[in-house]
């Protein structure tokens, strides 16, 4: 199956700082999503972004499908942004199967 | 609106005992359904997915099985649990693009 790599694995920020999380994938994809897993384990969709750029408040994401990577930007971070951020991809020739990266664990300190 | 339920929320089982985890989705029909497992501090591993009643695809060989007896019901089972089956089990559904997760079941095998 497709390989998904995320970096950095861990990130510590002071409240108010900005950050960029990266997701690289090894093959063409139909679908790419970013998720936030809160400390209680709940996974929340942030973006559906197979290509292009989207913004939602302090978060934005960009996917460059031809170069096989996606970036998640967090601006003016808050303590509630803490948790693990995952990207997940659906293979270009294998519909319905979503593969996850190993995640970036973010800790925002007050 | 759509809702996904999982139960139980937590489970402690002895090695060698059977397992049955249930997932149901409300407010949609013919969803794609998924079982993922998350080991402590790690990413999500796709275990099974289903595109319809009775249609199950397995991703990794293991002592787990899945069934879809009804359109919006997905069951994860084992005849004999192993220590390595411990983890956080997440059910997810997809209308064909986004992936939505249930609250998960934390399984500890002792």
């Amino acid at each position: 199956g497709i390989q998904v790599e995320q970096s950095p694995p861990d990130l510590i920020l002071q409240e108010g700082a900005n950050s960029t999380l990266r997701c690289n994938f090894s093959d063409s994809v139909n679908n790419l999503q970013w998720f936030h897993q809160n400390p209680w384990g709940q996974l929340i969709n942030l973006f559906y972004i197979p290509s292009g750029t989207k913004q939602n408040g302090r978060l934005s994401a960009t996917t460059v499908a031809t170069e096989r990577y996606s970036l998640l930007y967090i601006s003016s971070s808050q303590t509630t942004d803490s948790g693990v951020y995952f990207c997940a991809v659906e293979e270009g020739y294998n519909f319905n199967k979503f593969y996850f990266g190993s995640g970036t664990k973010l800790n925002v300190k007050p | 609106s759509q809702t996904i339920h999982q139960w139980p929320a937590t489970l402690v089982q002895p090695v060698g005992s059977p397992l049955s985890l249930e997932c149901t989705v409300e407010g949609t029909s013919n969803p794609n359904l998924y079982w993922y497992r998350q080991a402590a501090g790690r990413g999500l591993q796709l275990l099974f997915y289903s595109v319809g009643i009775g249609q199950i695809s397995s991703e990794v060989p293991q002592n787990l099985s899945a069934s879809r007896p009804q359109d919006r019901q997905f069951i994860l089972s084992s005849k004999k649990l192993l220590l390595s089956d411990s983890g956080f089990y997440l059910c997810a559904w997809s209308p064909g693009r986004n992936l939505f997760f249930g609250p998960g079941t934390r399984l500890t095998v002792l």
Side-chain angles (χ1 to χ4, degrees), chain A residues 11-19 58 74-79 81-82 106-110:
Chain A
L11 187 58
I12 300 174
L13 296 176
Q14 206 63 37
E15 199 169 25
N18 303 328
S19 63
R58 295 181 296 103
I74 304 174
S75 63
S76 304
S77 58
Q78 300 176 358
T79 56
D81 295 331
S82 296
L106 175 63
N107 184 6
V108 181
K109 297 192 170 183

Side-chain angles (χ1 to χ4, degrees), chain A residues 55-70:
Chain A
Q55 181 155 6
N56 184 3
R58 295 181 296 103
L59 302 181
S60 64
T62 295
T63 297
V64 183
T66 53
E67 297 187 21
R68 298 180 184 169
Y69 73 89
S70 183

Side-chain angles (χ1 to χ4, degrees), chain A residues 88-102:
Chain A
V89 303
E90 181 186 24
E91 285 184 313
Y93 53 87
N94 207 346
F95 295 94
N96 301 315
K97 294 169 67 171
F98 293 85
Y99 294 96
F100 280 73
S102 54

Side-chain angles (χ1 to χ4, degrees), chain A residues 31 33 35 37 39-43 45 47-48 86 90 94-102, chain B residues 32 34 36 38 42-44 46 49 51 59 88 90 94 96-103 106:
Chain A
N31 184 342
Q33 296 177 55
F35 294 86
Q37 187 173 37
W40 297 272
Q42 182 67 48
L43 278 149
N45 300 68
F47 293 102
Y48 162 77
F86 291 102
E90 181 186 24
N94 207 346
F95 295 94
N96 301 315
K97 294 169 67 171
F98 293 85
Y99 294 96
F100 280 73
S102 54
Chain B
N32 293 338
Y34 303 82
Y36 283 86
Q38 185 177 28
R42 296 197 169 186
L44 280 72
L46 178 61
Y49 71 97
V51 298
E59 272 298 286
F88 189 41
L90 290 147
S94 173
R97 197 173 79 170
N98 285 338
L99 196 60
F100 300 97
F101 283 88
R106 294 196 184 276

Side-chain angles (χ1 to χ4, degrees), chain A residues 30-34 46-51 54, chain B residues 97-98:
Chain A
N30 294 321
N31 184 342
L32 186 145
Q33 296 177 55
W34 283 96
L46 298 175
F47 293 102
Y48 162 77
I49 187 165
S51 63
K54 289 186 177 179
Chain B
R97 197 173 79 170
N98 285 338

